[in-house]
């Protein structure tokens, strides 16, 4: 059961990371791009199991 929850958690984190990356690539303002990068950082750290 714990494995299923872990897999679902990492799928959710990956989905949100992809959404942030998609919005980052579509953004035209540098302020918005910095905001997306700051929001994306914790998701990438979790996804790569660094934190």
């Amino acid at each position: 059961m714990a494995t299923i929850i872990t897999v679902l958690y990492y799928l959710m984190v990956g989905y949100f990371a992809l959404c942030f990356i998609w919005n980052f690539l579509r953004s035209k303002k540098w302020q918005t791009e910095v905001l997306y990068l700051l929001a994306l950082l914790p998701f990438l750290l979790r996804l790569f199991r660094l934190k």
Side-chain angles (χ1 to χ4, degrees):
M1 184 66 175
T3 306
I4 294 171
I5 293 172
T6 303
V7 168
L8 289 174
Y9 175 76
Y10 282 111
L11 286 173
M12 182 182 67
V13 169
Y15 173 74
F16 285 125
L18 285 175
C19 289
F20 280 125
I21 291 170
W22 175 258
N23 287 329
F24 172 77
L25 294 175
R26 291 180 54 213
S27 177
K28 301 295 183 205
K29 297 180 182 178
W30 69 270
Q31 294 98 340
T32 309
E33 291 175 352
V34 170
L35 180 64
Y36 282 129
L37 285 178
L38 287 175
L40 178 64
L41 186 62
F43 286 96
L44 289 179
L45 289 174
R46 296 268 178 176
L47 194 59
F48 296 128
R49 298 180 182 188
L50 296 175
K51 179 161 170 107

